[in-house]
Amino acid sequence: MKTALRLTLVLFVLCLSSLSAMAQEGGIVVRGNAGADPTAFDPLLTNETVTSDIQALIFPDLLSVDPATASIVNGPGPNALASGWELSEDGLTYTFSLRDDLYWTDGEQIDADDVMFVWDFIQSGAVPTHLSFVADEIANVEKIDNFTIAVSFDEVDCDAILSIGALEPYPSHIAPEDLTTMPDQEFNQNLYVSSGPYTFGEVRPAESISLLANPDYVDAELGYVNNDAFVLLNVPDLTVMVERFLAGELSIISGPQEARRAEIYAAEDEGRVQIYTYPGNSWDYLAFNLADPSNPQNAVDEDGNAIDQGMHPVFGSTEVGRDVRRALNMALDVDDIIERATFGEGTRMASHLVPASWAFDPTIEPVPSDPAAAAQMLTDAGWVNSDPDDPSSVRVCQGCATAEDGTEMRFVLNTNEENARRTAIITIAQESWDKIGVKAEIQTLEWGSYLEKLFTQTLDAYVIGWRNGYPDRPDATQLFTPASDVVGGCSNCMSYNNPEFTAINEQARTLPGCSIDERKALYAEAQRIIQADTPYIFMFVRNGFYAAGSEVNGFDPFPSQLLWNVDTWSISQ
Amino acid sequence: MTTFVIRRILQAIPTLFGISILVYAIMLATPGGPVAALTFSPTVTPQERAALAAQLGVNDPFHIQYLRWLLGDDWMRFDSDGDGVADTAYLIPLDADGDGEPEPPGTRRGILRGDFGSSFFHGKRHVIDVIFERLGATLELGVASLVVGLTIGIPVGVLAAVNRGGPFDNFTRIVSVIFNAFPVFWLGLILLLIFGGTGLGLLPMGNRCGLVLVGGCPPLYERLEYLVLPTFVIAAGFLAVYSRFMRASVLDVGTQDYIRTARAKGLSGRMVWFRHGLRNALIPIATLLGPSVTGVLSGAVVTENIFSWPGVGRLAVSSLQQRDYPTVMAIVMLASITTIIGYLLSDILYALIDPRIRLR
Amino acid sequence: MSSPVGTRLETNNVAGEAQVSPSLLQLALRRLWRDRLSMAAIGMLLFLTLLCFGAPVINFLTGTNSRNIVADSFLPPLTPGHILGTDDIGRDHLARLLEAGQVSLSIGFLAALMALAIGVTVGLLSGFIGGHLDDGVIWFITTLNSIPLLFIILLIAAFLSPNATTLILALGLFGWTGTARLVRGEAIALREREFIISARASGAGNLRLMFAHVLPNQLSIILINLAIDIGIIILVEATLSFLGFGVQPPQPTWGNMLTESRSFMYYGPHLVFWPGFLIFVTVLCLYVLGDGLRDAFDPTTID
């Protein structure tokens, strides 16, 4: 049957229901894709969301991830080249043994050279690549023999294995001599050599990308891929996407608009669709600028000496103004925000770690909502109502630690345009604060100019989000340490700098022996520190949401792993 | 005629210059830009950001960026001794990002030499390739809606004029106004909900054809049902315009002397209209071709987004959102050229139908 | 203004505009007064305008406002205190619709007025004075007309932060070419007419001729275009919101309310209905009025 499919040159169906007439048992999985239209596919050159989705289905990994625990397995796994690793005594060198039974679709064996090529490519710098960060983290990669490679590091890094995962095998035998021509090679448009449950079918720009079941896929759970093809159908309008899913034109969708999910739940009650939800890995937060926004400075100079960054007149600095920030946090009812802004499709966060992270400590409670106590805390901190009888009158500094007496408690709260969820958040925050005399002016900015202002660190307070990688890496070096507080290109744009936090975070990352329990304890401590310092008001992770039509058999996702068993899926007729 | 066409083409050149300067000025007057959005990730360093900005040339002053777009930059920064490293630079610094290393030699040839540049996105492919693979879809939609607009609009207009003030006239007048009073996207969504799978289930809800694994879409006649809704949404505007225009034109012709003469000869009312009136009334329709091109392009922007139609309109919107300057510029220039050609054809057609008109 | 969204074009340059003397104006007004459809449209437009700009009074009476979160999300219509219910984050829907109406109607009216003012001035000057000025104007109009207007507006809205003011400026500054062309054509035709020639002979200057003699004769064009343009601009505002380049929330407009509410069909169908309905009714009335005006000013109309 699958060979028959391969031989079929043109197969089109007017709608899914008419598939039965074609007697294809497996069926076609159709996934709705609202993302930008990918037109380049080389895994070394691009990692746009949609491209990565495709690469995951047609290329092997180096390491295998257990979808149930979201952790990397030291052992063989489906479509993973390494069958396991050994760590050297000093904890600096990982030696991987590679499988010898994996082949590219053109018959070439997959071996150490295909991994070495990736490393050489990254090091050559011939073409800008999203993988360049790997060169900063890994010291060296060495080929021991055709099926053994050694990866070494300069210092112990307990997350090292996550960086190594980026070295996914690449069909080096088709790469051009001159690496700089790689973007212009046919391979960047048509992944004609692959190895995985699917092979590359056809791209119709801005419309669909088809992947065909790979009859030679050796790691298939059932011994064969149970469906015929996987199609990504481009549907730019999110409202239309949900309609087309409910109409049966799409078999799976992920992450539909929160406002539309009730309809899909209703369809589930009628038995028409299957749903899987989980606390996701993208999260929204409200950040306070902890430096003087009128005079943005880097945290440290070129020699590593601290630079005086001043303090924000309302929010203070990391050490000063904690009470004010905590009070602002307590004045918000984040659960209510989740209800109104995400229709309940969010999971409360207590600190910077997402619930999906292995290091997440569920015993740490979020900051409670208590507007009355918040008002009192602000008064105690030297911000008093200008009219003592009117709790909503603007507060002015009277002995506060961050500004001159008489300064009014006013600031601008920004977020990006085109995001109804974040606009709702700032609207609700403004209103909640207004009731206790904190006057925030809300403003939405176009994405590009918003980021520009964010990078130059001239904002007061802002709402934005992060999306964590998979598997989750609890390290916060990039988000909360002075090293990434650089004007013009920051990820710690609000200038948070607590040496104690930095030290614990570093210790957890480089702990000798990397004991999971000890690292968990360290990360729990880091979470408590950051919650006490309140550089962010931590809000929620958006709930992940996968839905499949009832005709999809085998739909059994794990968090962030919708397609881990897609080779066993079939579509009922 | 040939002289006329040549002169019109020559006249279009300053117009195109005007457009390009106007659009470039609007585009570069903006804060923000593509770099921040391209690099919003904690793993990107400020140095990498600066290098990217230098590579894209987005920090150069306005006239330099415009010159690069127009004439290319292979003469601005180049390698004179053949060692692969740029060593000579005019107008732009050799080392734009300040890292001590010269930037790579310029490779752009500029649009005057046929190079519209590479997209900032789309795998950095040539803009022209990216646009051309979308052009067919928009063309298909545009021609279909023009044909539908004309074949329905003209008869309706004539009938309305013949029955001036009658029920048919009033009915078409109201219907055409009603369809035009909806925001286009809203009309599209309503139709999609009514006729699509969650409603009556009569028509597909989007794309250009059904699932195709390999081999591209089948020929047009096998997938007409995919064209129905998007065509109707764009054609609704044309229908109103053509029918109203035709009605006015027929009425205008009706007051002319030769019609009165024909009527005086004793010919019946209908006969007069169809024998003498129609041909002359059709002439002004030719002037609508130019504006119709604009109509198709504008209509496509919205309609293609609703109906997942893989055309240039969608590309225009997403490029604007991503600040993909080269793609935006190329689309605007191509749209302008198309419009100019549309107006030119209008004039030629006008002269062909109406022998009284001489093209100067 | 040639329509940026749909494909509406001026149709009034075919039927041959007639010059309008004061008595013709009176005649037209009398005709309009008798046209029930047009009068209904005018009545509806007045009603909506009064309603929107009377929002402070209405808010005072209902004890609510458009910005504050006053109640639970998605309360249905006819909830006590919230005649049209509440929106996704619990704001009064009626209050928001009215504030949105102020913005949408203002954008439509001011932008159309600006386009008209520029168009009439440029058209008069260029048509009446002619010469190099006319050549330059024609070239400029050709240039602007060669880019689909929606593209220009999209460019401006995408690259300047889109708010009510920038939209009015953008639509006003780039939407005048249609009017200018019509007025220019009329001005050229009138230039050679007897009453102008005799006025010139009696010593009237160019400016005086233009504004005292030619302009009044353009009244029909001006009024018809104003009505149609306001309608088109309200639609453009909605389209821009749909494409993500319109006035940004939390500032409500009918366009962005309609765009946002697309996803609320399950929770609150009333949120989808009203902004769409108001846009539809307003634009419909404006078009009907434009049509009515055209007929009223058309000398071939038989009474």
Side-chain angles (χ1 to χ4, degrees), chain C residues 223-285:
Chain C
L223 287 177
I224 295 166
N225 271 14
L226 190 63
I228 306 253
D229 280 0
I230 297 175
I232 291 177
I233 290 170
I234 290 175
L235 289 178
V236 173
E237 190 271 313
T239 302
L240 286 177
S241 286
F242 168 73
L243 295 174
F245 300 112
V247 176
Q248 293 296 322
Q251 171 69 66
T253 69
W254 287 341
N256 69 28
M257 286 178 77
L258 181 61
T259 300
E260 274 199 1
S261 69
R262 277 182 305 153
S263 44
F264 303 149
M265 277 182 258
Y266 185 89
Y267 286 102
H270 60 288
L271 298 180
V272 198
F273 175 75
W274 285 107
F277 180 74
L278 287 173
I279 293 177
F280 174 71
V281 167
T282 309
V283 177
L284 190 66
C285 288

Side-chain angles (χ1 to χ4, degrees), chain A residues 529-547:
Chain A
I529 295 173
I530 205 122
Q531 197 195 60
D533 284 342
T534 326
Y536 286 177
I537 292 180
F538 294 102
M539 298 229 163
F540 53 85
V541 287
R542 301 169 60 196
N543 287 354
F545 187 106
Y546 298 136

Side-chain angles (χ1 to χ4, degrees), chain B residues 61-74:
Chain B
F62 169 78
H63 61 279
I64 300 287
Q65 290 202 47
Y66 183 73
L67 267 183
R68 176 184 290 124
W69 178 78
L70 200 66
L71 299 169
D73 61 0
D74 53 357

Side-chain angles (χ1 to χ4, degrees), chain C residues 63-185:
Chain C
T64 179
N65 69 62
S66 61
R67 290 302 171 94
N68 287 5
I69 297 152
V70 284
D72 291 341
S73 308
F74 297 117
L75 288 178
L78 299 181
T79 305
H82 305 289
I83 303 170
L84 295 183
T86 59
D87 72 359
D88 54 318
I89 56 176
R91 292 168 296 198
D92 185 71
H93 191 45
L94 175 64
R96 284 188 70 72
L97 277 174
L98 296 183
E99 192 192 334
Q102 293 175 14
V103 182
S104 290
L105 291 174
S106 304
I107 291 178
F109 188 74
L110 293 177
L113 208 60
M114 188 169 160
L116 199 71
I118 301 178
V120 168
T121 315
V122 171
L124 270 184
L125 287 174
S126 135
F128 208 74
I129 296 175
H132 289 306
L133 177 74
D134 193 34
D135 293 344
V137 166
I138 287 298
W139 178 78
F140 193 72
I141 290 180
T142 319
T143 303
L144 274 187
N145 275 357
S146 305
I147 324 177
L149 182 57
L150 184 63
F151 280 38
I152 306 187
I153 304 298
L154 272 177
L155 271 169
I156 296 178
F159 292 117
L160 302 176
S161 76
N163 57 40
T165 320
T166 47
L167 275 194
I168 292 173
L169 286 177
L171 288 161
L173 285 177
F174 289 95
W176 51 266
T177 53
T179 312
R181 249 189 344 197
L182 283 182
V183 171
R184 172 180 166 276

Side-chain angles (χ1 to χ4, degrees), chain B residues 14-15 19 27 30 173 177 180 184-186 189 237-238 241 244-245 288 291 294-295 298 301-302 321 323 336 339, chain C residues 4-5 7-9 14 139 143 146-148 151 155 158-159 235 238-239 242-243 245 262 272 280 284 287 291:
Chain B
T15 304
I19 293 168
M27 225 161 50
T30 160
R173 180 172 150 187
V177 173
N180 274 283
V184 176
F185 75 90
W186 193 231
L189 266 179
F238 288 141
V241 174
R244 302 296 293 159
F245 202 92
L288 285 185
T294 324
S298 309
V301 168
V302 176
Q321 281 163 346
R323 310 259 145 139
S336 305
T339 313
Chain C
V5 177
T7 43
R8 293 164 212 97
L9 308 148
V14 169
W139 178 78
T143 303
S146 305
I147 324 177
F151 280 38
L155 271 169
F159 292 117
L235 289 178
T239 302
F242 168 73
L243 295 174
F245 300 112
R262 277 182 305 153
V272 198
F280 174 71
L284 190 66
Y287 283 178
D291 235 29

Side-chain angles (χ1 to χ4, degrees), chain A residues 45 180-189, chain B residues 123-126:
Chain A
L45 304 178
T180 56
T181 64
M182 277 173 63
D184 308 321
Q185 297 295 316
E186 191 200 343
F187 192 63
N188 197 20
Q189 301 302 315
Chain B
K124 318 257 180 311
R125 287 164 62 209
H126 285 291

Side-chain angles (χ1 to χ4, degrees), chain A residues 63-66 69-75 85 96 161-165 471:
Chain A
L63 305 172
S64 129
V65 177
D66 178 357
T69 59
S71 57
I72 292 180
V73 189
N74 187 355
W85 72 78
F96 294 88
I161 200 74
L162 293 173
S163 319
I164 301 174

